[in-house]
Amino acid sequence: MTPRTLSATVLALICTLSLTACIPLPIPVTEPGRPAPSGSPVVNFIATEASADATIFAYWNAVAETYTSGGVDLEALEAVTTESTLRDEESVAKTFAASGVMVIPEYRLSEAQFEQLYVENRQLFLVVSTCIDYSLARVVDSAGEQKHLRPDAPRAVAHVKMRVDDPDKFAGLRIAGWTEMLGPGMGC
């Protein structure tokens, strides 16, 4: 996909999103035997949010493997993250391992919602917001003591940035960044 085609695709998606954000989408009707019209890309919000959820769950499972291995086993994490996110998680896992701390990342998410689609450095990115429940996540110290990972903020709103590796099929999502909104009124 050329930069011009990518830009045109993103512009069409943004226009479609802005037009459909407030108006219910009609159900497409086609005559029997005739294929549905194609040409301009349309984002299916439910499918996009479901794909984002699946990517986040795959990321959490990969993080758990990475943390359990002390930052050595990175194969699963490589499949669902960008290079910079991979290196960040590897560093955190190695820091935990060196200090004798083990994180048990049991998270839940809800209310995933499409937020933004944009191009940065000729790459397509998607941003979703979601509510993350950390109430089951625990930390086990070197003495075997278990504590809640976030006793003061067990739930938080997160904006998850994902790179879209296959813009033509809107597939191949990889976690590229994570921003949590903590503080008064920012819980879910």
Side-chain angles (χ1 to χ4, degrees), residues 9 13-14 18 25 35 62 71 83 93 113 123 140 154 162-163 166 172 175 179:
T9 301
L13 288 169
I14 291 171
S18 64
L25 291 174
E83 182 68 24
Q113 180 176 315
Q123 291 282 321
V140 181
M162 298 179 197
R163 187 178 73 203
D166 186 353
I175 302 292
T179 305

PDB file of all heavy atoms in Angstrom, residues 9 13-14 18 25 35 62 71 83 93 113 123 140 154 162-163 166 172 175 179:
ATOM      1  N   THR A   9      -7.086   5.878   2.344  1.00  0.00           N
ATOM      2  CA  THR A   9      -7.849   4.891   3.122  1.00  0.00           C
ATOM      3  C   THR A   9      -8.180   5.445   4.501  1.00  0.00           C
ATOM      4  O   THR A   9      -9.309   5.357   4.966  1.00  0.00           O
ATOM      5  CB  THR A   9      -7.055   3.579   3.255  1.00  0.00           C
ATOM      6  OG1 THR A   9      -6.792   3.068   1.952  1.00  0.00           O
ATOM      7  CG2 THR A   9      -7.817   2.551   4.067  1.00  0.00           C
ATOM      8  N   LEU A  13     -11.784   6.323   6.085  1.00  0.00           N
ATOM      9  CA  LEU A  13     -12.216   5.739   7.358  1.00  0.00           C
ATOM     10  C   LEU A  13     -12.623   6.822   8.351  1.00  0.00           C
ATOM     11  O   LEU A  13     -13.635   6.703   9.033  1.00  0.00           O
ATOM     12  CB  LEU A  13     -11.110   4.875   7.953  1.00  0.00           C
ATOM     13  CG  LEU A  13     -10.848   3.551   7.240  1.00  0.00           C
ATOM     14  CD1 LEU A  13      -9.562   2.929   7.770  1.00  0.00           C
ATOM     15  CD2 LEU A  13     -12.004   2.618   7.418  1.00  0.00           C
ATOM     16  N   ILE A  14     -11.839   7.881   8.419  1.00  0.00           N
ATOM     17  CA  ILE A  14     -12.147   8.969   9.359  1.00  0.00           C
ATOM     18  C   ILE A  14     -13.455   9.639   8.980  1.00  0.00           C
ATOM     19  O   ILE A  14     -14.296   9.915   9.837  1.00  0.00           O
ATOM     20  CB  ILE A  14     -10.979   9.971   9.436  1.00  0.00           C
ATOM     21  CG1 ILE A  14      -9.784   9.311  10.120  1.00  0.00           C
ATOM     22  CG2 ILE A  14     -11.392  11.245  10.155  1.00  0.00           C
ATOM     23  CD1 ILE A  14      -8.505  10.107  10.057  1.00  0.00           C
ATOM     24  N   SER A  18     -16.705   9.683  11.327  1.00  0.00           N
ATOM     25  CA  SER A  18     -17.316  10.919  11.801  1.00  0.00           C
ATOM     26  C   SER A  18     -18.766  11.013  11.361  1.00  0.00           C
ATOM     27  O   SER A  18     -19.605  11.536  12.077  1.00  0.00           O
ATOM     28  CB  SER A  18     -16.516  12.137  11.331  1.00  0.00           C
ATOM     29  OG  SER A  18     -16.546  12.225   9.920  1.00  0.00           O
ATOM     30  N   LEU A  25     -26.121   3.117  11.645  1.00  0.00           N
ATOM     31  CA  LEU A  25     -25.800   2.617  10.312  1.00  0.00           C
ATOM     32  C   LEU A  25     -26.962   1.792   9.788  1.00  0.00           C
ATOM     33  O   LEU A  25     -27.497   0.944  10.500  1.00  0.00           O
ATOM     34  CB  LEU A  25     -24.544   1.749  10.350  1.00  0.00           C
ATOM     35  CG  LEU A  25     -23.252   2.469  10.632  1.00  0.00           C
ATOM     36  CD1 LEU A  25     -22.127   1.453  10.783  1.00  0.00           C
ATOM     37  CD2 LEU A  25     -22.914   3.437   9.524  1.00  0.00           C
ATOM     38  N   PRO A  35     -23.338  -9.316  -5.280  1.00  0.00           N
ATOM     39  CA  PRO A  35     -22.482  -9.081  -4.112  1.00  0.00           C
ATOM     40  C   PRO A  35     -22.707  -7.688  -3.547  1.00  0.00           C
ATOM     41  O   PRO A  35     -23.181  -6.790  -4.239  1.00  0.00           O
ATOM     42  CB  PRO A  35     -21.067  -9.210  -4.697  1.00  0.00           C
ATOM     43  CG  PRO A  35     -21.223  -8.908  -6.148  1.00  0.00           C
ATOM     44  CD  PRO A  35     -22.609  -9.344  -6.534  1.00  0.00           C
ATOM     45  N   ALA A  62       0.826 -13.061  26.954  1.00  0.00           N
ATOM     46  CA  ALA A  62       2.244 -12.992  26.597  1.00  0.00           C
ATOM     47  C   ALA A  62       3.058 -12.317  27.698  1.00  0.00           C
ATOM     48  O   ALA A  62       4.183 -12.741  28.009  1.00  0.00           O
ATOM     49  CB  ALA A  62       2.416 -12.254  25.275  1.00  0.00           C
ATOM     50  N   GLY A  71      11.766 -12.522  31.924  1.00  0.00           N
ATOM     51  CA  GLY A  71      12.162 -11.708  30.782  1.00  0.00           C
ATOM     52  C   GLY A  71      12.959 -12.462  29.731  1.00  0.00           C
ATOM     53  O   GLY A  71      13.522 -11.851  28.828  1.00  0.00           O
ATOM     54  N   GLU A  83       8.182  -3.361  18.616  1.00  0.00           N
ATOM     55  CA  GLU A  83       9.532  -3.556  19.181  1.00  0.00           C
ATOM     56  C   GLU A  83       9.726  -2.758  20.466  1.00  0.00           C
ATOM     57  O   GLU A  83      10.267  -3.286  21.450  1.00  0.00           O
ATOM     58  CB  GLU A  83      10.586  -3.161  18.136  1.00  0.00           C
ATOM     59  CG  GLU A  83      12.008  -3.365  18.593  1.00  0.00           C
ATOM     60  CD  GLU A  83      12.402  -4.828  18.758  1.00  0.00           C
ATOM     61  OE1 GLU A  83      11.794  -5.712  18.134  1.00  0.00           O
ATOM     62  OE2 GLU A  83      13.349  -5.088  19.533  1.00  0.00           O
ATOM     63  N   ALA A  93      10.068  -7.117  33.238  1.00  0.00           N
ATOM     64  CA  ALA A  93      10.138  -8.518  33.686  1.00  0.00           C
ATOM     65  C   ALA A  93      11.490  -8.828  34.312  1.00  0.00           C
ATOM     66  O   ALA A  93      11.565  -9.497  35.354  1.00  0.00           O
ATOM     67  CB  ALA A  93       9.868  -9.453  32.507  1.00  0.00           C
ATOM     68  N   GLN A 113     -14.036   0.509  23.584  1.00  0.00           N
ATOM     69  CA  GLN A 113     -14.689   1.460  22.699  1.00  0.00           C
ATOM     70  C   GLN A 113     -13.674   2.048  21.731  1.00  0.00           C
ATOM     71  O   GLN A 113     -12.588   2.467  22.143  1.00  0.00           O
ATOM     72  CB  GLN A 113     -15.298   2.561  23.569  1.00  0.00           C
ATOM     73  CG  GLN A 113     -16.011   3.633  22.842  1.00  0.00           C
ATOM     74  CD  GLN A 113     -16.647   4.604  23.829  1.00  0.00           C
ATOM     75  OE1 GLN A 113     -17.263   4.196  24.810  1.00  0.00           O
ATOM     76  NE2 GLN A 113     -16.487   5.872  23.564  1.00  0.00           N
ATOM     77  N   GLN A 123       2.499   4.472   9.162  1.00  0.00           N
ATOM     78  CA  GLN A 123       1.895   3.303   9.799  1.00  0.00           C
ATOM     79  C   GLN A 123       0.507   3.690  10.288  1.00  0.00           C
ATOM     80  O   GLN A 123       0.298   4.792  10.780  1.00  0.00           O
ATOM     81  CB  GLN A 123       2.721   2.838  11.007  1.00  0.00           C
ATOM     82  CG  GLN A 123       4.055   2.243  10.660  1.00  0.00           C
ATOM     83  CD  GLN A 123       3.905   0.823  10.152  1.00  0.00           C
ATOM     84  OE1 GLN A 123       3.103   0.047  10.649  1.00  0.00           O
ATOM     85  NE2 GLN A 123       4.677   0.485   9.144  1.00  0.00           N
ATOM     86  N   VAL A 140       3.705 -11.260  44.221  1.00  0.00           N
ATOM     87  CA  VAL A 140       4.254 -12.173  45.217  1.00  0.00           C
ATOM     88  C   VAL A 140       5.712 -11.780  45.414  1.00  0.00           C
ATOM     89  O   VAL A 140       6.496 -11.777  44.463  1.00  0.00           O
ATOM     90  CB  VAL A 140       4.165 -13.647  44.751  1.00  0.00           C
ATOM     91  CG1 VAL A 140       4.714 -14.582  45.815  1.00  0.00           C
ATOM     92  CG2 VAL A 140       2.729 -14.009  44.390  1.00  0.00           C
ATOM     93  N   PRO A 154      -8.041  -0.336  41.888  1.00  0.00           N
ATOM     94  CA  PRO A 154      -8.247  -1.644  41.278  1.00  0.00           C
ATOM     95  C   PRO A 154      -8.850  -1.596  39.876  1.00  0.00           C
ATOM     96  O   PRO A 154      -8.815  -2.565  39.154  1.00  0.00           O
ATOM     97  CB  PRO A 154      -9.182  -2.354  42.241  1.00  0.00           C
ATOM     98  CG  PRO A 154      -9.890  -1.263  42.952  1.00  0.00           C
ATOM     99  CD  PRO A 154      -8.934  -0.116  43.017  1.00  0.00           C
ATOM    100  N   MET A 162      -2.720   0.684  19.185  1.00  0.00           N
ATOM    101  CA  MET A 162      -2.349  -0.531  18.463  1.00  0.00           C
ATOM    102  C   MET A 162      -1.938  -0.182  17.039  1.00  0.00           C
ATOM    103  O   MET A 162      -2.613   0.600  16.375  1.00  0.00           O
ATOM    104  CB  MET A 162      -3.524  -1.497  18.414  1.00  0.00           C
ATOM    105  CG  MET A 162      -3.967  -1.959  19.768  1.00  0.00           C
ATOM    106  SD  MET A 162      -5.369  -3.073  19.609  1.00  0.00           S
ATOM    107  CE  MET A 162      -5.975  -3.026  21.284  1.00  0.00           C
ATOM    108  N   ARG A 163      -0.851  -0.783  16.607  1.00  0.00           N
ATOM    109  CA  ARG A 163      -0.439  -0.620  15.217  1.00  0.00           C
ATOM    110  C   ARG A 163      -1.197  -1.648  14.382  1.00  0.00           C
ATOM    111  O   ARG A 163      -1.333  -2.801  14.779  1.00  0.00           O
ATOM    112  CB  ARG A 163       1.062  -0.837  15.083  1.00  0.00           C
ATOM    113  CG  ARG A 163       1.589  -0.519  13.684  1.00  0.00           C
ATOM    114  CD  ARG A 163       3.068  -0.686  13.590  1.00  0.00           C
ATOM    115  NE  ARG A 163       3.366  -2.127  13.602  1.00  0.00           N
ATOM    116  CZ  ARG A 163       4.541  -2.631  13.965  1.00  0.00           C
ATOM    117  NH1 ARG A 163       5.520  -1.849  14.363  1.00  0.00           N
ATOM    118  NH2 ARG A 163       4.738  -3.934  13.944  1.00  0.00           N
ATOM    119  N   ASP A 166      -1.750  -4.859   8.854  1.00  0.00           N
ATOM    120  CA  ASP A 166      -2.351  -5.148   7.557  1.00  0.00           C
ATOM    121  C   ASP A 166      -3.554  -4.230   7.354  1.00  0.00           C
ATOM    122  O   ASP A 166      -4.693  -4.630   7.602  1.00  0.00           O
ATOM    123  CB  ASP A 166      -2.769  -6.627   7.486  1.00  0.00           C
ATOM    124  CG  ASP A 166      -3.265  -7.030   6.115  1.00  0.00           C
ATOM    125  OD1 ASP A 166      -3.422  -6.146   5.235  1.00  0.00           O
ATOM    126  OD2 ASP A 166      -3.501  -8.225   5.905  1.00  0.00           O
ATOM    127  N   GLY A 172      -3.890  -7.786  12.013  1.00  0.00           N
ATOM    128  CA  GLY A 172      -2.513  -7.760  12.492  1.00  0.00           C
ATOM    129  C   GLY A 172      -2.283  -6.663  13.511  1.00  0.00           C
ATOM    130  O   GLY A 172      -1.356  -5.880  13.394  1.00  0.00           O
ATOM    131  N   ILE A 175       0.145  -4.258  20.091  1.00  0.00           N
ATOM    132  CA  ILE A 175       0.137  -3.237  21.142  1.00  0.00           C
ATOM    133  C   ILE A 175       1.358  -2.336  20.947  1.00  0.00           C
ATOM    134  O   ILE A 175       2.487  -2.808  20.917  1.00  0.00           O
ATOM    135  CB  ILE A 175       0.164  -3.874  22.549  1.00  0.00           C
ATOM    136  CG1 ILE A 175      -1.020  -4.822  22.753  1.00  0.00           C
ATOM    137  CG2 ILE A 175       0.238  -2.802  23.635  1.00  0.00           C
ATOM    138  CD1 ILE A 175      -2.374  -4.175  22.809  1.00  0.00           C
ATOM    139  N   THR A 179      -1.812   3.943  27.908  1.00  0.00           N
ATOM    140  CA  THR A 179      -1.898   5.076  28.816  1.00  0.00           C
ATOM    141  C   THR A 179      -3.083   4.850  29.740  1.00  0.00           C
ATOM    142  O   THR A 179      -4.194   4.627  29.265  1.00  0.00           O
ATOM    143  CB  THR A 179      -2.121   6.396  28.040  1.00  0.00           C
ATOM    144  OG1 THR A 179      -1.099   6.533  27.073  1.00  0.00           O
ATOM    145  CG2 THR A 179      -2.089   7.583  28.995  1.00  0.00           C
TER     146      THR A 179
END
